[in-house]
Amino acid sequence: MKFRIHHLAILSLSALLIAAGCGNNAVNSSTTTNASGAAEATALPESSKLNIKVSFYPIYEFTKNVAGDLADVEALIPAGIEPHDWEPTAKDMAEISDADMLIYNGAGMEGWVDQVLESVSGTPLITVEASKGLDIMEGTEEEEADHHHEEGEHAHEEEEHAHEEGEHAHEEHSHDHGGLDPHVWLNPTLAIQEVRNIEAALAAAAPEHAEDFKTNADAYVAKLEQLDQEFKDGLKDTKRKDFITQHAAFGYLAKQYGLTQVPIAGLSPEQEPSAANMSKIVEFAKEHKVKTIFFETLVSSSVADTIAKEIGAKAAVLNPIEGLTEEDRSKNLDYLGIMRQNLEALKSALNE
C-alpha cells in the first residue's frame, strides 16, 4: 500500500508541475550541475527571498546557517520522525513544486528523491545534492561486520546464507541505501564540504547575496573546524578504539578519528540482526571487555538493551542526528551540541 501511495504522490507532483508551467517566477530556468557539484541556475530577482525545502535535520541546520535570514528554510521530514521511514505525501510534493530549491543529502539517504527529481526535470526547481563530490563509502552490512569479530570460513558462509534468505525482503524495502553509506554529516570535515556545496548553490541562485552567504558559511565552517579539533583531541589517546553500535551510521566518524565501528545491524536502523550475528556480537563484547553498547534516538533500543544485559554492560546513546527529539528541542540542542554529546559518550566508553 505504501508503494502505491508513494507513486500517487509522485503523479500528483507531475500534475502540479504541468499546471504550474512557468508560473513559478522565482527561478527562470532549470538547474544544471557543474563539474564540482555546485548548482548552476538563473539568478532570482533581487527582491525575492529564497523558498528552500530541505530533506531532513542536518541539511536544515547546514542550509539555515548559510542562508541566514535571506531564505525561508523548511525541513520536509518533521522533527522526531526517523528519516528512513519517511516518504513524501501529495501535500509535500505540492510544497516542493512551489519551492525555489530542494536541498537533500544524497548518497542514498533519501530513497524517494530519484522519482522526485525525475518529476521535476525541466522545471524551474533548483535541486542540490549536498554530498555531491564527497568520497562515499560502501555500506557496512551485517556480514561485513563479522570481520571485526569472527574467524572461520564456515561461520562467514552461514552469515552470507542468512543474508541471502533475507535478500528478497531487503530488495522490497523502500529505505535501502543502494549499498552506500549516506551518513557523511557525522564527520565534521565532510559536513564542511556539504556546507560549501550548499553555499555555492545559494550563491548561484542569488548572486547578489553571494558575499553574505560566504560570510555565513565561513562562520559556520569555523565552528565545524573547532568541532573537528575537539574530536581529534578527545579521541586520540583513548584506551580502546572499537565501539559497538546498534546502527552502522558512524563509519565516516570512525574513519576520521582512527576508530572501528562494530555494528549490530546494517545501515538501516530498523534492520533486525540475525540470531547468529547477535551471538557473534556478544562473543566479541565479552572477549574485548566492552562495557557500553550504543543505541540511537528515534528507534527502539531493545536490541542494544538485550546485548547489554547479556554481557553485564550498559546501553547508552550515540546519536546519528537524523532528527531532533522533543528532549533535544526542549534543551535547544543543535547539530554542534549533539555532536559534542556524542564525543563525550565515545570518550567515556572508549576509556572504560
Side-chain angles (χ1 to χ4, degrees):
M1 181 64 69
K2 179 181 283 188
F3 180 83
R4 180 175 297 174
I5 292 171
H6 176 69
H7 282 274
L8 285 173
I10 297 293
L11 291 171
S12 297
L13 173 59
S14 299
L16 282 164
L17 294 172
I18 291 170
C22 298
N24 184 347
N25 295 322
V27 182
N28 296 320
S29 68
S30 300
T31 301
T32 60
T33 303
N34 64 23
S36 67
E40 297 175 337
T42 300
L44 295 167
E46 290 190 17
S47 60
S48 297
K49 190 174 184 179
L50 287 167
N51 175 11
I52 303 175
K53 300 298 181 185
V54 301
S55 55
F56 70 121
Y57 175 69
I59 304 304
Y60 170 85
E61 179 82 358
F62 300 161
T63 302
K64 188 64 179 173
N65 273 278
V66 175
D69 60 1
L70 297 172
D72 293 319
V73 183
E74 183 179 4
L76 291 165
I77 301 176
I81 300 297
E82 217 297 317
H84 298 80
D85 296 334
W86 187 86
E87 291 182 2
T89 64
K91 179 177 180 292
D92 297 317
M93 293 297 191
E95 292 179 356
I96 292 171
S97 71
D98 288 338
D100 300 316
M101 304 182 76
L102 170 64
I103 305 179
Y104 61 99
N105 183 77
M109 182 63 194
E110 301 91 345
W112 44 269
V113 80
D114 286 344
Q115 293 188 63
V116 171
L117 296 181
E118 183 178 346
S119 295
V120 302
S121 178
T123 74
L125 181 70
I126 301 170
T127 59
V128 182
E129 183 179 8
S131 66
K132 188 79 170 180
L134 275 61
D135 185 11
I136 303 300
M137 300 193 307
E138 293 293 322
T140 299
E141 297 298 338
E142 201 175 277
E143 69 274 13
E144 292 173 3
D146 290 347
H147 294 297
H148 297 300
H149 50 84
E150 174 63 31
E151 292 181 1
E153 183 74 21
H154 179 64
H156 182 65
E157 289 175 353
E158 286 182 349
E159 192 64 18
E160 285 184 334
H161 178 65
H163 175 71
E164 288 172 0
E165 287 180 345
E167 188 172 4
H168 178 65
H170 179 70
E171 288 173 350
E172 291 186 341
H173 198 283
S174 60
H175 312 296
D176 178 27
H177 295 305
L180 300 177
D181 184 348
H183 303 87
V184 292
W185 63 90
L186 292 170
N187 175 342
T189 65
L190 298 182
I192 288 171
Q193 294 183 55
E194 292 204 295
V195 168
R196 291 303 188 191
N197 282 345
I198 292 168
E199 177 203 345
L202 267 59
E208 71 278 10
H209 295 304
E211 285 302 314
D212 298 306
F213 296 141
K214 183 179 187 306
T215 297
N216 293 343
D218 287 348
Y220 193 62
V221 164
K223 294 178 181 180
L224 292 171
E225 290 172 341
Q226 175 61 33
L227 180 68
D228 174 48
Q229 189 60 51
E230 291 174 23
F231 268 81
K232 287 177 180 176
D233 294 341
L235 298 175
K236 65 181 179 181
D237 295 321
T238 55
K239 293 179 181 179
R240 59 186 308 122
K241 296 296 181 183
D242 47 43
F243 62 96
I244 297 177
T245 182
Q246 184 169 321
H247 171 202
F250 299 92
Y252 294 100
L253 184 151
K255 181 179 179 181
Q256 177 69 14
Y257 303 111
L259 306 178
T260 300
Q261 169 188 239
V262 182
I264 298 170
L267 288 170
S268 179
E270 62 272 312
Q271 180 180 342
E272 290 291 335
S274 66
N277 203 59
M278 287 276 282
S279 176
K280 291 165 189 172
I281 290 287
V282 168
E283 180 183 346
F284 174 86
K286 289 179 177 178
E287 180 182 346
H288 292 82
K289 297 179 172 59
V290 174
K291 298 179 181 178
T292 299
I293 306 296
F294 285 118
F295 67 95
E296 65 187 72
T297 56
L298 303 183
V299 297
S300 171
S301 64
S302 60
V303 173
D305 290 336
T306 298
I307 292 176
K309 183 177 180 180
E310 173 75 16
I311 65 173
K314 67 178 182 293
V317 170
L318 195 63
N319 195 333
I321 322 182
E322 295 178 347
L324 296 181
T325 65
E326 287 297 328
E327 182 179 358
D328 295 333
R329 297 170 73 189
S330 69
K331 295 179 179 179
N332 292 319
L333 284 171
D334 58 9
Y335 170 87
L336 295 170
I338 296 173
M339 283 294 286
R340 289 190 169 97
Q341 288 184 337
N342 283 342
L343 173 58
E344 291 306 312
L346 284 168
K347 285 165 60 178
S348 176
L350 297 175
N351 284 300
E352 291 175 321

